[in-house]
Amino acid sequence: MNFTKVKRFMPIIIGVVLLGAFIGYRIIDNIAENKIRAKNLAESNITSVQTEPVGRRDITPQMIFSAGLEPVWSADISAKVDGRIETMYVNEGDLVKAGTVVATLDGGDLAGQVMQAEGNLLAAESNFEQAQLDYNRYSELANAGAISMQVLDNARTKRDAAYGQVQNAKGSLGLVKEKEKNLNIIVPRDGVVTKRHLQAGAFVRSGTPLITVADTETLLAKTTIGESQAAGLKVGTSVEVQIDALGGKAVNGMITMISPVAQLPARTFTADVTIDNSEGILKGGMFAKVEIPVATKGQVLAVPENSIVLREDQPSVFVIAEDGRANQRLIQVGGTGGGYAEVIEGLNEGEQVVTGGQHKLRDGMKVLVGAGGDAQ
């Protein structure tokens, strides 16, 4: 009876065994294929890089500051007297020399005032002359005892008062003539007209700017430096100034002023870099970068600047290990200059750092050293 039951279920048992064997085979086969695929994938993920050994070299660090170009001299040219602008002789962009008349005010009223002041002076001089003659006569009479001293004193007082009127009239005439002279607006030094504020016909008060003149043959790159950086700067140091508006064109400059007192509360200092602009290539207001060299550091451990990548805002490099993998390592950087960065801590001399292809790497990746295709 039991043998009959076993015989009846034998095909099912055999089917189950065969199915289990097939499933086991497929599992083993899939595992093997996955291993091969993983191996191939790992080999295909090998990144080609360029490397350079860590070595020692001289580095001249560069301090870079942002700056704006300004004329070495700029001034508003204004009227010294009230009046209406009769003529404007210059426009924006015109070159002017010292002593050039750039505008004239209407002087019709002043001409009459000059004539009146001249008449007042003549009258005052006439009164003084008469008072002097009277005093001289009274003086002779007093000496002869013909008049009292009080009469002589009165004559002297009148003479002195008349002299005071003469001086007052001379001052009034000089003042009016000075106003008449100031009808011509004159530039005090050479420059270029950078702004024309008013037109002919406008009425101006004394002190109102008519034009702005600047000396643009010499420009100043004004920059702000930190407290720790100021100690390394000296007046007279030659620097390089890069002008962004001219495609990064570099021009030579010289530090001509470092403010003696810090600006609070930031504790920063202002430095002026003087730049020759006799060719007129540069314009006031352009943005510039001032590169200031500091003392050369001799034979320091250094790596190319382009090998440094940031890891969580900290400088790091990829170092090639003996197993051909790139290990990312944090470093402490000192001064930079000439395309190299000083390494204070984190590397040893002779270690190979990745200089090309490092931006495609992750810590522990297998690399192929020396291929040029991905070394960017």
Side-chain angles (χ1 to χ4, degrees):
M1 182 66 179
N2 290 337
F3 177 76
T4 302
K5 290 182 178 180
V6 171
K7 186 176 180 180
R8 187 193 311 170
F9 289 103
M10 184 60 67
I12 298 175
I13 295 173
I14 293 173
V16 171
V17 172
L18 291 175
L19 179 61
F22 177 75
I23 293 173
Y25 169 77
R26 292 301 299 170
I27 292 174
I28 294 173
D29 185 59
N30 286 338
I31 291 174
E33 289 181 358
N34 288 337
K35 287 182 178 180
I36 294 173
R37 189 181 299 108
K39 181 180 179 181
N40 292 336
L41 182 61
E43 291 177 352
S44 66
N45 282 338
I46 295 178
T47 302
S48 298
V49 297
Q50 295 289 334
T51 63
E52 183 174 320
V54 180
R56 294 187 178 274
R57 63 175 55 242
D58 294 343
I59 290 182
T60 303
Q62 298 279 343
M63 292 188 292
I64 301 178
F65 304 98
S66 298
L69 299 185
E70 299 180 8
V72 69
W73 171 82
S74 179
D76 291 333
I77 309 301
S78 58
K80 294 183 179 180
V81 295
D82 298 348
R84 191 173 303 279
I85 301 175
E86 185 175 80
T87 309
M88 288 286 289
Y89 298 106
V90 295
N91 291 302
E92 292 183 7
D94 288 350
L95 296 174
V96 291
K97 295 292 185 180
T100 300
V101 177
V102 296
T104 301
L105 301 183
D106 182 9
D109 294 341
L110 285 179
Q113 294 179 27
V114 170
M115 293 180 63
Q116 183 179 15
E118 289 175 340
N120 291 337
L121 176 59
L122 288 174
E125 289 176 339
S126 178
N127 290 335
F128 172 69
E129 184 179 358
Q130 181 62 51
Q132 183 67 49
L133 291 173
D134 291 343
Y135 173 75
N136 291 338
R137 283 195 298 269
Y138 288 140
S139 180
E140 292 176 358
L141 292 172
N143 291 334
I147 61 173
S148 67
M149 293 302 298
Q150 182 178 1
V151 174
L152 180 62
D153 290 340
N154 290 338
R156 182 187 300 110
T157 301
K158 289 181 179 180
R159 182 202 62 180
D160 292 344
Y163 179 75
Q165 291 175 354
V166 170
Q167 295 302 107
N168 183 61
K170 285 182 178 181
S172 298
L173 178 60
L175 182 61
V176 176
K177 284 189 173 182
E178 186 65 23
K179 287 183 178 181
E180 188 176 44
K181 178 182 176 181
N182 289 331
L183 292 175
N184 292 326
I185 314 302
I186 298 174
V187 175
R189 58 182 291 179
D190 297 352
V192 61
V193 179
T194 59
K195 182 69 175 178
R196 177 169 165 168
H197 301 280
L198 296 170
Q199 303 294 332
F203 184 85
V204 295
R205 295 289 184 185
S206 173
T208 302
L210 276 68
I211 61 172
T212 300
V213 176
D215 178 4
T216 58
E217 289 193 357
T218 303
L219 295 179
L220 294 179
K222 286 186 170 290
T223 186
T224 301
I225 58 178
E227 181 180 15
S228 61
Q229 299 162 323
L233 302 184
K234 293 182 179 180
V235 172
T237 302
S238 296
V239 300
E240 190 173 86
V241 182
Q242 293 185 350
I243 312 300
D244 287 359
L246 301 180
K249 176 183 173 63
V251 296
N252 295 324
M254 178 180 293
I255 299 176
T256 52
M257 191 282 293
I258 300 174
S259 56
V261 179
Q263 300 175 5
L264 300 177
R267 296 188 182 277
T268 56
F269 295 81
T270 299
D272 287 352
V273 176
T274 301
I275 305 169
D276 178 33
N277 188 40
S278 55
E279 296 181 1
I281 298 175
L282 306 178
K283 306 295 182 184
M286 284 184 172
F287 181 79
K289 293 179 181 177
V290 180
E291 295 186 0
I292 303 177
V294 295
T296 299
K297 296 185 176 183
Q299 294 301 297
V300 296
L301 209 62
V303 295
E305 283 189 82
N306 62 1
S307 68
I308 300 175
V309 295
L310 294 180
R311 188 178 81 179
E312 296 178 353
D313 295 330
Q314 297 296 319
S316 70
V317 294
F318 282 97
V319 182
I320 305 301
E322 293 182 357
D323 61 358
R325 297 185 181 276
N327 296 326
Q328 192 171 15
R329 190 182 301 174
L330 293 176
I331 60 173
Q332 184 178 349
V333 177
T336 61
Y340 282 81
E342 177 189 7
V343 178
I344 298 176
E345 186 178 337
L347 290 174
N348 298 314
E349 188 173 357
E351 289 187 298
Q352 295 286 332
V353 297
V354 178
T355 58
Q358 66 272 28
H359 297 290
K360 299 179 181 180
L361 295 179
R362 295 189 302 275
D363 191 25
M365 285 185 65
K366 192 81 172 176
V367 297
L368 177 63
V369 178
D374 295 330
Q376 296 294 332

